[in-house]
Amino acid sequence: MPYHYDPGTLGPHDVEIAITHCGICHSDLHLISNDWGVSQYPFIPGHEIIGTVADVGDAVRLLAVGQRVGLGWQSNSCGECEWCSRGLENLCPASEGTCVHRNGGYADSVRANARFVIPIPDALKSEAAAPLLCGGITVYNPLRAHGVNPSSRVGIVGIGGLGHIAIQFARVFGAEVTAFSTSANKEEEARALGAHHFVNSRESKALKEVAGTLDLVLTTINADQDWGIYIQALRPTGTLCFVGVPPSPLSVHAFPLISGHKTITGSNTGSPWQLKEMLDVAARHGVKAQVELFPMAKANDAIDKVKKNKVRYRAVLAN
Ligand SMILES: [Zn+2]
Ligand SMILES: [Zn+2]
């Protein structure tokens, strides 16, 4: 049975989006099962949304009814704190998640503050662009933040919803790209996406061979690994950046960090200007998510398939 709710009057700074597409992100699965203890039911997941502007509040000037737009993880922030004024709204302590204590995008419509509703470049197809709104920015932002350029050597751990986009962006930035996966059968696809090298991360010999070769390792997986091997893979001053969440606390030796001036860090989505930049880069350089489309009414089937790790690489619901 579909769930109906009354969203009330549209706020002056808000936009209502008529949803055409919504990607399924792993965060949705965590919210559905309340893994993070923040979910309230009934609950509508979804934060990789594309649609058209259906209505705008009185104070909204830059968006017009009928325009194609996207909405990602974040739908509002305080607009006044240090982080908001520095254009880093994703770090605002009062950040609102699109489907945290709000109704998200597995729906006909969704609302958000206009600052977080991003126009979609014409060159991008809606279904291939929807996953960029969360998965895409999640990997784009750390590549930019850590200065990836044609001299860089980048490792991407995991070739899934996030990793398959990360390989494409790293390649667009001109880096030499090494893909790490536990599935040997993903080598061909990783190379087709732009990876120069492939390492089967089940083979400790292959992992040891890349020691001291990478400037940035971006890990997209939600599983535990021997992180020491990835720290070993870094060149001096290199960075190990987490965007996937391993279930166990990290356990690493400090000495390799000290001796090689290496950094362990993380990254969390991106701000509206970063989203705009990422979409522009994707449009100009042909970066797109590889998706499997499902009708919105089959959302439960799509979620099951994502849970079983059977989707290559991102599931997208379409109205
Ligand atoms: Zn997400
Ligand atoms: Zn703020």
mmCIF file of all heavy atoms in Angstrom, residues 234-261:
data_model
loop_
_atom_site.group_PDB
_atom_site.id
_atom_site.type_symbol
_atom_site.label_atom_id
_atom_site.label_comp_id
_atom_site.label_asym_id
_atom_site.label_seq_id
_atom_site.Cartn_x
_atom_site.Cartn_y
_atom_site.Cartn_z
ATOM 1 N N LEU A 234 50.862 3.396 0.088
ATOM 2 C CA LEU A 234 51.015 4.842 -0.151
ATOM 3 C C LEU A 234 52.472 5.241 -0.297
ATOM 4 O O LEU A 234 53.356 4.695 0.372
ATOM 5 C CB LEU A 234 50.412 5.626 1.022
ATOM 6 C CG LEU A 234 48.904 5.522 1.213
ATOM 7 C CD1 LEU A 234 48.504 6.217 2.507
ATOM 8 C CD2 LEU A 234 48.149 6.118 0.030
ATOM 9 N N ARG A 235 52.713 6.243 -1.147
ATOM 10 C CA ARG A 235 53.999 6.910 -1.192
ATOM 11 C C ARG A 235 54.097 7.862 0.006
ATOM 12 O O ARG A 235 53.075 8.170 0.635
ATOM 13 C CB ARG A 235 54.092 7.744 -2.487
ATOM 14 C CG ARG A 235 54.369 6.921 -3.740
ATOM 15 C CD ARG A 235 53.746 7.524 -4.991
ATOM 16 N NE ARG A 235 54.011 8.934 -5.186
ATOM 17 C CZ ARG A 235 55.119 9.423 -5.758
ATOM 18 N NH1 ARG A 235 56.073 8.607 -6.166
ATOM 19 N NH2 ARG A 235 55.273 10.713 -5.937
ATOM 20 N N PRO A 236 55.296 8.358 0.330
ATOM 21 C CA PRO A 236 55.386 9.373 1.383
ATOM 22 C C PRO A 236 54.428 10.529 1.112
ATOM 23 O O PRO A 236 54.226 10.907 -0.046
ATOM 24 C CB PRO A 236 56.848 9.826 1.303
ATOM 25 C CG PRO A 236 57.576 8.619 0.793
ATOM 26 C CD PRO A 236 56.618 7.972 -0.180
ATOM 27 N N THR A 237 53.830 11.071 2.147
ATOM 28 C CA THR A 237 52.805 12.140 2.155
ATOM 29 C C THR A 237 51.467 11.663 1.585
ATOM 30 O O THR A 237 50.563 12.476 1.399
ATOM 31 C CB THR A 237 53.230 13.444 1.419
ATOM 32 O OG1 THR A 237 53.167 13.229 -0.003
ATOM 33 C CG2 THR A 237 54.630 13.907 1.809
ATOM 34 N N GLY A 238 51.323 10.385 1.316
ATOM 35 C CA GLY A 238 50.076 9.865 0.746
ATOM 36 C C GLY A 238 48.938 9.842 1.748
ATOM 37 O O GLY A 238 49.128 9.964 2.956
ATOM 38 N N THR A 239 47.716 9.669 1.206
ATOM 39 C CA THR A 239 46.501 9.734 2.017
ATOM 40 C C THR A 239 45.627 8.513 1.786
ATOM 41 O O THR A 239 45.386 8.133 0.627
ATOM 42 C CB THR A 239 45.692 11.003 1.640
ATOM 43 O OG1 THR A 239 46.502 12.149 1.887
ATOM 44 C CG2 THR A 239 44.406 11.108 2.447
ATOM 45 N N LEU A 240 45.158 7.930 2.884
ATOM 46 C CA LEU A 240 44.143 6.875 2.822
ATOM 47 C C LEU A 240 42.825 7.520 3.239
ATOM 48 O O LEU A 240 42.687 7.984 4.371
ATOM 49 C CB LEU A 240 44.513 5.731 3.779
ATOM 50 C CG LEU A 240 43.478 4.619 3.986
ATOM 51 C CD1 LEU A 240 43.163 3.881 2.685
ATOM 52 C CD2 LEU A 240 43.960 3.618 5.056
ATOM 53 N N CYS A 241 41.858 7.585 2.305
ATOM 54 C CA CYS A 241 40.602 8.297 2.571
ATOM 55 C C CYS A 241 39.430 7.323 2.552
ATOM 56 O O CYS A 241 39.247 6.568 1.595
ATOM 57 C CB CYS A 241 40.394 9.381 1.514
ATOM 58 S SG CYS A 241 38.873 10.314 1.770
ATOM 59 N N PHE A 242 38.627 7.362 3.608
ATOM 60 C CA PHE A 242 37.465 6.481 3.727
ATOM 61 C C PHE A 242 36.192 7.203 3.287
ATOM 62 O O PHE A 242 35.871 8.272 3.804
ATOM 63 C CB PHE A 242 37.294 6.026 5.179
ATOM 64 C CG PHE A 242 38.294 4.991 5.589
ATOM 65 C CD1 PHE A 242 39.553 5.364 6.044
ATOM 66 C CD2 PHE A 242 37.985 3.639 5.489
ATOM 67 C CE1 PHE A 242 40.487 4.407 6.402
ATOM 68 C CE2 PHE A 242 38.922 2.676 5.843
ATOM 69 C CZ PHE A 242 40.171 3.061 6.307
ATOM 70 N N VAL A 243 35.456 6.599 2.340
ATOM 71 C CA VAL A 243 34.084 7.034 2.083
ATOM 72 C C VAL A 243 33.112 5.872 2.321
ATOM 73 O O VAL A 243 31.926 6.104 2.513
ATOM 74 C CB VAL A 243 33.902 7.653 0.671
ATOM 75 C CG1 VAL A 243 34.656 8.967 0.565
ATOM 76 C CG2 VAL A 243 34.330 6.705 -0.423
ATOM 77 N N GLY A 244 33.611 4.641 2.326
ATOM 78 C CA GLY A 244 32.818 3.500 2.777
ATOM 79 C C GLY A 244 33.075 3.317 4.270
ATOM 80 O O GLY A 244 34.075 3.814 4.791
ATOM 81 N N VAL A 245 32.160 2.621 4.930
ATOM 82 C CA VAL A 245 32.266 2.484 6.388
ATOM 83 C C VAL A 245 32.500 1.030 6.770
ATOM 84 O O VAL A 245 31.566 0.224 6.771
ATOM 85 C CB VAL A 245 30.968 2.979 7.081
ATOM 86 C CG1 VAL A 245 31.149 2.983 8.587
ATOM 87 C CG2 VAL A 245 30.586 4.353 6.587
ATOM 88 N N PRO A 246 33.753 0.655 7.107
ATOM 89 C CA PRO A 246 33.987 -0.709 7.577
ATOM 90 C C PRO A 246 33.313 -0.897 8.942
ATOM 91 O O PRO A 246 33.253 0.054 9.715
ATOM 92 C CB PRO A 246 35.508 -0.804 7.722
ATOM 93 C CG PRO A 246 36.067 0.500 7.272
ATOM 94 C CD PRO A 246 34.968 1.485 7.131
ATOM 95 N N PRO A 247 32.802 -2.093 9.206
ATOM 96 C CA PRO A 247 32.063 -2.298 10.462
ATOM 97 C C PRO A 247 32.923 -2.173 11.730
ATOM 98 O O PRO A 247 32.417 -1.730 12.757
ATOM 99 C CB PRO A 247 31.487 -3.712 10.329
ATOM 100 C CG PRO A 247 32.175 -4.337 9.168
ATOM 101 C CD PRO A 247 32.734 -3.257 8.319
ATOM 102 N N SER A 248 34.198 -2.530 11.652
ATOM 103 C CA SER A 248 35.033 -2.508 12.863
ATOM 104 C C SER A 248 35.822 -1.207 12.950
ATOM 105 O O SER A 248 36.112 -0.586 11.928
ATOM 106 C CB SER A 248 36.028 -3.661 12.843
ATOM 107 O OG SER A 248 35.361 -4.872 12.629
ATOM 108 N N PRO A 249 36.210 -0.814 14.172
ATOM 109 C CA PRO A 249 37.114 0.332 14.299
ATOM 110 C C PRO A 249 38.411 0.053 13.547
ATOM 111 O O PRO A 249 38.815 -1.101 13.410
ATOM 112 C CB PRO A 249 37.377 0.422 15.807
ATOM 113 C CG PRO A 249 36.299 -0.369 16.451
ATOM 114 C CD PRO A 249 35.884 -1.422 15.464
ATOM 115 N N LEU A 250 39.050 1.131 13.070
ATOM 116 C CA LEU A 250 40.314 0.959 12.348
ATOM 117 C C LEU A 250 41.402 0.595 13.339
ATOM 118 O O LEU A 250 41.492 1.188 14.401
ATOM 119 C CB LEU A 250 40.712 2.254 11.658
ATOM 120 C CG LEU A 250 39.725 2.844 10.669
ATOM 121 C CD1 LEU A 250 40.280 4.126 10.077
ATOM 122 C CD2 LEU A 250 39.410 1.840 9.562
ATOM 123 N N SER A 251 42.228 -0.358 12.961
ATOM 124 C CA SER A 251 43.359 -0.713 13.801
ATOM 125 C C SER A 251 44.598 -0.657 12.920
ATOM 126 O O SER A 251 44.776 -1.479 12.028
ATOM 127 C CB SER A 251 43.138 -2.120 14.361
ATOM 128 O OG SER A 251 44.311 -2.552 14.986
ATOM 129 N N VAL A 252 45.420 0.356 13.118
ATOM 130 C CA VAL A 252 46.615 0.522 12.280
ATOM 131 C C VAL A 252 47.802 0.873 13.164
ATOM 132 O O VAL A 252 47.647 1.424 14.245
ATOM 133 C CB VAL A 252 46.432 1.633 11.214
ATOM 134 C CG1 VAL A 252 45.289 1.313 10.284
ATOM 135 C CG2 VAL A 252 46.224 2.998 11.844
ATOM 136 N N HIS A 253 48.989 0.565 12.673
ATOM 137 C CA HIS A 253 50.206 0.966 13.371
ATOM 138 C C HIS A 253 50.537 2.415 13.056
ATOM 139 O O HIS A 253 50.366 2.858 11.915
ATOM 140 C CB HIS A 253 51.374 0.064 12.952
ATOM 141 C CG HIS A 253 51.270 -1.310 13.536
ATOM 142 N ND1 HIS A 253 51.436 -1.554 14.880
ATOM 143 C CD2 HIS A 253 50.967 -2.499 12.959
ATOM 144 C CE1 HIS A 253 51.269 -2.843 15.110
ATOM 145 N NE2 HIS A 253 50.973 -3.440 13.972
ATOM 146 N N ALA A 254 50.992 3.153 14.050
ATOM 147 C CA ALA A 254 51.319 4.566 13.848
ATOM 148 C C ALA A 254 52.637 4.751 13.101
ATOM 149 O O ALA A 254 52.813 5.746 12.400
ATOM 150 C CB ALA A 254 51.384 5.286 15.199
ATOM 151 N N PHE A 255 53.563 3.781 13.233
ATOM 152 C CA PHE A 255 54.905 4.028 12.712
ATOM 153 C C PHE A 255 54.953 4.364 11.214
ATOM 154 O O PHE A 255 55.596 5.339 10.817
ATOM 155 C CB PHE A 255 55.865 2.869 13.046
ATOM 156 C CG PHE A 255 57.276 3.216 12.691
ATOM 157 C CD1 PHE A 255 57.998 4.143 13.448
ATOM 158 C CD2 PHE A 255 57.882 2.685 11.554
ATOM 159 C CE1 PHE A 255 59.284 4.506 13.091
ATOM 160 C CE2 PHE A 255 59.172 3.041 11.197
ATOM 161 C CZ PHE A 255 59.874 3.955 11.970
ATOM 162 N N PRO A 256 54.212 3.604 10.351
ATOM 163 C CA PRO A 256 54.262 3.956 8.917
ATOM 164 C C PRO A 256 53.698 5.349 8.631
ATOM 165 O O PRO A 256 54.123 5.996 7.676
ATOM 166 C CB PRO A 256 53.400 2.879 8.248
ATOM 167 C CG PRO A 256 53.267 1.797 9.251
ATOM 168 C CD PRO A 256 53.409 2.410 10.611
ATOM 169 N N LEU A 257 52.749 5.803 9.478
ATOM 170 C CA LEU A 257 52.207 7.162 9.294
ATOM 171 C C LEU A 257 53.277 8.191 9.628
ATOM 172 O O LEU A 257 53.449 9.196 8.939
ATOM 173 C CB LEU A 257 50.986 7.387 10.204
ATOM 174 C CG LEU A 257 49.825 6.409 10.053
ATOM 175 C CD1 LEU A 257 48.731 6.720 11.069
ATOM 176 C CD2 LEU A 257 49.253 6.474 8.643
ATOM 177 N N ILE A 258 53.999 7.904 10.707
ATOM 178 C CA ILE A 258 55.038 8.833 11.171
ATOM 179 C C ILE A 258 56.200 8.885 10.182
ATOM 180 O O ILE A 258 56.614 9.951 9.729
ATOM 181 C CB ILE A 258 55.550 8.385 12.558
ATOM 182 C CG1 ILE A 258 54.415 8.512 13.591
ATOM 183 C CG2 ILE A 258 56.767 9.199 12.978
ATOM 184 C CD1 ILE A 258 54.702 7.836 14.915
ATOM 185 N N SER A 259 56.665 7.711 9.801
ATOM 186 C CA SER A 259 57.888 7.695 8.979
ATOM 187 C C SER A 259 57.627 8.219 7.574
ATOM 188 O O SER A 259 58.516 8.785 6.941
ATOM 189 C CB SER A 259 58.483 6.292 8.918
ATOM 190 O OG SER A 259 57.557 5.430 8.314
ATOM 191 N N GLY A 260 56.383 8.056 7.057
ATOM 192 C CA GLY A 260 56.108 8.494 5.686
ATOM 193 C C GLY A 260 55.220 9.726 5.594
ATOM 194 O O GLY A 260 54.771 10.070 4.498
ATOM 195 N N HIS A 261 54.973 10.403 6.740
ATOM 196 C CA HIS A 261 54.066 11.571 6.744
ATOM 197 C C HIS A 261 52.762 11.245 6.033
ATOM 198 O O HIS A 261 52.299 11.995 5.172
ATOM 199 C CB HIS A 261 54.729 12.783 6.083
ATOM 200 C CG HIS A 261 55.828 13.380 6.898
ATOM 201 N ND1 HIS A 261 56.288 14.660 6.734
ATOM 202 C CD2 HIS A 261 56.575 12.868 7.906
ATOM 203 C CE1 HIS A 261 57.259 14.916 7.596
ATOM 204 N NE2 HIS A 261 57.458 13.817 8.312
#
